[in-house]
């Protein structure tokens, strides 16, 4: 079974407010005060401005969306994340904007942290958003990103 994630993650209030102006946006709650907005086709079309996609290397980051993420980040840090896995093999990519600028990433390679623990790009971005890992869990698991395997799962758990 595979896992696919393409989403914006930010604080609950910030993302709920930002999503009001995005056609088709659905916001799903995570733990630790964070929320997730899946990058559905409707959201992609609603935030794309017709310009070419930026050079951050994401597979599904619409052209011009980087500027909107930077605007949103004036109210608090905002991450854009992508992950795709099948059979335990795959990749992640993540970036964080804060105070109107790109401040982390794009990351696509796990790094070694204290005690040689490998930290994934998404966990690094979640840490920048204030998420903390739990006992035996990284930030990815501690906020609940392992609860659904695709957009449909997140949409079914979202608030309108």
């Amino acid at each position: 079974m595979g896992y696919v994630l393409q989403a914006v993650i930010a604080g609950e209030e910030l993302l709920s407010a930002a999503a009001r102006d995005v056609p088709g946006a659905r916001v799903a709650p995570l733990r630790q005060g964070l929320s997730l907005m899946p990058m559905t086709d409707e959201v992609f079309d609603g935030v794309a401005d017709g310009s070419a996609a930026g050079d951050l290397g994401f597979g599904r980051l619409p052209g011009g969306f980087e500027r909107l993420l930077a605007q949103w980040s004036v109210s608090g840090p905002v991450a854009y994340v992508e992950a795709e896995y099948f059979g335990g093999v795959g990749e992640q990519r993540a970036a964080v904007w804060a105070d109107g600028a790109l401040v982390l990433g794009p990351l696509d390679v796990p790094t070694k942290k204290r005690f040689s623990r490998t930290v994934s790009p998404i966990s690094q971005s979640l840490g920048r958003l204030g998420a903390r890992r739990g006992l035996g869990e990284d930030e990815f698991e501690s906020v609940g990103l392992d609860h659904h395997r695709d957009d449909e799962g997140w949409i079914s758990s979202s608030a309108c």
Side-chain angles (χ1 to χ4, degrees):
M1 182 175 245
Y3 179 92
V4 176
L5 177 66
Q6 299 156 335
V8 176
I9 300 175
E12 291 176 25
E13 290 181 24
L14 186 160
L15 195 55
S16 292
R20 287 187 198 116
D21 296 328
V22 178
R26 304 291 295 262
V27 176
L30 296 171
R31 293 191 295 250
Q32 300 191 31
L34 298 175
S35 290
L36 170 148
M37 180 180 72
M39 182 56 67
T40 63
D41 291 340
E42 191 173 1
V43 170
F44 185 97
D45 292 342
V47 298
D49 70 0
S51 64
D55 42 338
L56 295 180
F58 288 97
R60 192 152 167 80
L61 185 68
F65 193 40
E66 295 169 42
R67 287 187 294 280
L68 187 55
L69 291 169
Q71 289 174 7
W72 291 350
S73 77
V74 171
S75 299
V78 176
Y80 180 76
V81 302
E82 293 183 349
E84 187 166 355
Y85 288 91
F86 188 82
V89 177
E91 59 189 20
Q92 293 185 10
R93 190 168 195 81
V96 176
W97 287 259
D99 299 319
L102 182 65
V103 296
L104 181 68
L107 306 170
D108 60 4
V109 177
T111 62
K112 297 276 186 176
K113 293 289 185 183
R114 223 163 107 197
F115 307 115
S116 298
R117 179 184 178 134
T118 301
V119 181
S120 73
I122 292 177
S123 285
Q124 290 177 64
S125 69
L126 291 169
R128 190 68 183 249
L129 298 180
R132 298 293 169 247
R133 60 180 167 256
L135 186 59
E137 296 180 318
D138 63 6
E139 291 86 351
F140 187 98
E141 295 165 313
S142 70
V143 302
L145 285 177
D146 57 339
H147 286 205
H148 301 289
R149 303 194 73 72
D150 56 27
D151 285 347
E152 290 306 314
W154 290 110
I155 290 167
S156 69
S157 71
S158 69
C160 294

